[in-house]
Amino acid sequence: METVEGTVRAYFEALNRADVDDVVALFVEDGTFMANEAPSVTGHKQIRQSFEGHFREISFRREVHIDEIREGSEIATARTHTTGTLTFLAASNTVTIDSRELFVLRKTDGDWRITDYMFNRPASS
């Protein structure tokens, strides 16, 4: 993606489609994914395995809201929050959950790619 916002929005679009290939492609090769209450995973192989597991268990319907983008020439951060639902597939149980996210991105070959991504749920969710 040519813009930081474009990369962030593409991430959530891929998440909502359960598209592992598109999610992984948005990360740099040595990127890190830090999920709420889960071990950090680093590198395309581990990120792929993590999302394959998530997509087997959960269907995501997330709407992203951009809170702040800070962009330098090679590094950027994006602070966002999301609203929407998660459906736990085995139980067909859908819950409404709000989250907050922090992205660190690096410009690589003219495109913004995710180097570090972390999310958690605010205490009120």
Side-chain angles (χ1 to χ4, degrees), residues 2-9 69-71 76-78 105 112:
E2 292 182 12
T3 67
V4 172
E5 183 173 343
T7 299
V8 170
R9 291 194 183 283
I69 292 176
R70 292 184 182 193
E71 185 177 326
T77 59
L105 304 96
W112 287 102

Side-chain angles (χ1 to χ4, degrees), residues 45-88:
K45 181 179 178 182
Q46 288 184 0
I47 292 169
R48 174 177 295 283
Q49 290 171 339
S50 180
F51 279 95
E52 285 173 344
H54 290 310
F55 293 153
R56 278 193 298 272
E57 297 176 7
I58 302 168
S59 173
F60 296 86
R61 293 295 166 254
R62 310 303 298 154
E63 181 180 347
V64 64
H65 310 275
I66 306 292
D67 297 321
E68 179 181 55
I69 292 176
R70 292 184 182 193
E71 185 177 326
S73 61
E74 300 296 321
I75 298 289
T77 59
R79 189 172 44 82
T80 67
H81 69 280
T82 52
T83 54
T85 62
L86 303 177
T87 299
F88 297 92

Side-chain angles (χ1 to χ4, degrees), residues 61-123:
R61 293 295 166 254
R62 310 303 298 154
E63 181 180 347
V64 64
H65 310 275
I66 306 292
D67 297 321
E68 179 181 55
I69 292 176
R70 292 184 182 193
E71 185 177 326
S73 61
E74 300 296 321
I75 298 289
T77 59
R79 189 172 44 82
T80 67
H81 69 280
T82 52
T83 54
T85 62
L86 303 177
T87 299
F88 297 92
L89 300 173
S92 295
N93 180 33
T94 300
V95 296
T96 300
I97 292 180
D98 297 337
S99 295
R100 56 190 175 182
E101 302 84 22
L102 180 63
F103 293 85
V104 179
L105 304 96
R106 180 173 64 221
K107 196 162 233 182
T108 305
D109 297 326
D111 288 326
W112 287 102
R113 298 280 181 233
I114 302 165
T115 63
D116 299 277
Y117 167 60
M118 178 167 144
F119 76 92
N120 65 21
R121 292 181 198 96

